[in-house]
Structures are given as C-alpha cells and as structure tokens.
Amino acid sequence: MDEKIIAERLRSIRIEHNLKQEDIARVFGLDRSAYSCYETGRTRISVKKLCALADIYNISLDSIVGREEKDEVTKVKIGSVASGVDPIALLDRDEQLVLMYYRLASEEEKKQIIDAVERIHKENETDDF
C-alpha cells in the first residue's frame, strides 16, 4: 500500500463528505491532531481503521487505498444517485456523525441505537400533527 496515496485519499474523501478532521477523530476517540497525522502520512493508519472508514463513507476499501475497481465488478451502492453525488454528503455534520457511529456499531449496539431513537421520538410525540 502506498502510504502517500492513502493519506491523500483520506483527506479528499473526508472533504467530499463535508466533514472536518475533528468529526472523524471524535468517532475514533482521537484528538484532531492525531487524526491529522493519518491524512499527512506521518502516522500509518491501521487496516481496522481503514475498514471502519470504508464503512462510514459507504465505499470500498480499494477506493480508499487507491486501487481502481474493475468496471465489471463495480457495484452500485444503495442510495447512490445518477449524478454521482453521495447522498450521505448531503447530510449535515450531526446527521453524518450519528450515521458514522451506527455504521461502526455491532448488531446489538445498532439495536440499542434504534431503540433509543424510537424511545426519544415517542417521548416527544404530540398530537399537533
């Protein structure tokens, strides 16, 4: 793997998704400067974190590490649009943060997240609709 390409891709993908370094760092429990080292190539990012980022961005690991996908095996991601705009990039930062935590969660944690959201929604329901 070419560390320089990975560093450049991490930065460009994050920017494409309208996220700040602090947003990604928060999800990984890092401070912004620690995450910044991944994007500058000063620190090698683990494969585990690369896989997590691929899940967060809903892209292949190949695209993060700079490998080109072959046309015949390229799959259209659910939710992608014909214009090429990733719908996730259209979400505001808080929505993206919630989605990042959800994508990194275990199946049990995902259930807990959904239960919590449903509970909050029910607590705040009104008949004013």
Side-chain angles (χ1 to χ4, degrees):
M1 292 191 305
D2 185 334
E3 300 299 324
K4 183 178 177 182
I5 290 174
I6 293 171
E8 290 171 1
R9 290 291 298 146
L10 291 175
R11 181 178 184 278
S12 67
I13 294 167
R14 177 184 52 78
I15 290 169
E16 287 172 18
H17 284 79
N18 299 316
L19 293 168
K20 295 183 178 183
Q21 287 180 340
E22 65 192 44
D23 299 325
I24 303 300
R26 185 187 321 171
V27 170
F28 287 124
L30 303 170
D31 61 35
R32 188 210 53 80
S33 62
Y35 180 77
S36 173
C37 290
Y38 295 142
E39 289 189 5
T40 59
R42 287 184 296 221
T43 302
R44 176 181 268 186
I45 189 167
S46 70
V47 172
K48 184 176 180 177
K49 281 188 176 73
L50 286 173
C51 290
L53 286 168
D55 289 342
I56 286 169
Y57 294 131
N58 197 28
I59 60 176
S60 71
L61 187 57
D62 281 345
S63 64
I64 290 180
V65 298
R67 287 178 42 143
E68 293 185 27
E69 296 180 30
K70 296 181 177 156
D71 290 339
E72 64 270 13
V73 296
T74 301
K75 296 180 182 174
V76 176
K77 297 286 185 183
I78 295 172
S80 65
V81 292
S83 67
V85 175
D86 182 354
I88 295 168
L90 302 175
L91 301 174
D92 69 34
R93 288 179 57 215
D94 287 338
E95 291 169 323
Q96 288 184 353
L97 186 61
V98 170
L99 185 57
M100 284 188 276
Y101 281 121
Y102 182 83
R103 286 187 172 169
L104 293 176
S106 67
E107 290 305 313
E108 179 59 30
E109 291 167 334
K110 287 178 181 179
K111 184 180 180 324
Q112 292 172 1
I113 291 168
I114 296 299
D115 290 346
V117 170
E118 288 174 346
R119 186 176 57 254
I120 292 167
H121 178 71
K122 287 178 183 176
E123 289 171 1
N124 294 309
E125 272 185 343
T126 64
D127 294 327
D128 295 338
F129 285 103

